[in-house]
Structure formats: C-alpha cells, structure tokens
Amino acid sequence: MADYTMASERPARVGSLTISVDIQLSPPRVRAFQAVISHCTVKITLEVPPEITITLGDSSGTRSSESPDNECVDRVPADGSRDSGVTL
C-alpha cells in the first residue's frame, strides 16, 4: 500500500510518501529484505533527485515552422538548485 501527502509550500509537489509492504518472513529474511529495499533504485532516486531535461517539439520531431529554433529546455540539476534553464 502507498500513501502520500502534498507539500504545503510551493512548488506543488508530493511532500511525503509512505509505502507499506505486508509480508510474512522469518527474522533473518526480514533483515535481508530490509537491506534490499533500502537499496531500491526508485527509493534512492527519490532521495537523490536526478538531473531532469524536458525538451518540447511536435510529434513529428520537427520544430514549429514559425521559429525553427523554438525549443524549450528545462534542466533541474541533481543538487536541486534551479537556474533559468530555459532556452527559446
């Protein structure tokens, strides 16, 4: 089961995420399972956000005929800092 709450401050985002796993395991297996989930790629990605690049264009892969350089790129560095990051 997963549950989340939204952050109260801007920007709009998920503020917390709780995942519950119901499973019957022996104590040694519980420790092993906890070790595996603590190294989960998705969990680590949420804890240490990746750099994200968003590029806009039309579905044919070409840019607008009005402006051949009409490309918007927003980059969010892994450290979470922001700059304008937008190229038009």
Side-chain angles (χ1 to χ4, degrees):
M1 180 177 129
D3 189 25
Y4 69 93
T5 59
M6 297 300 291
S8 59
E9 67 279 352
R10 294 215 177 265
R13 61 186 175 80
V14 173
S16 68
L17 179 65
T18 302
I19 299 172
S20 299
V21 178
D22 294 325
I23 191 167
Q24 299 283 329
L25 297 172
S26 65
R29 296 272 184 178
V30 168
R31 287 188 295 279
F33 187 69
Q34 288 172 329
V36 168
I37 60 176
S38 72
H39 293 92
C40 169
T41 302
V42 173
K43 176 186 176 292
I44 293 170
T45 300
L46 292 171
E47 291 175 339
V48 183
E51 181 175 312
I52 299 171
T53 301
I54 300 171
T55 303
L56 300 178
D58 67 25
S59 61
S60 68
T62 60
R63 292 181 176 76
S64 168
S65 60
E66 294 177 8
S67 174
D69 296 323
N70 188 19
E71 179 180 12
C72 175
V73 178
D74 185 13
R75 291 185 177 85
V76 179
D79 67 4
S81 64
R82 303 258 335 174
D83 59 18
S84 63
V86 177
T87 305
L88 295 176

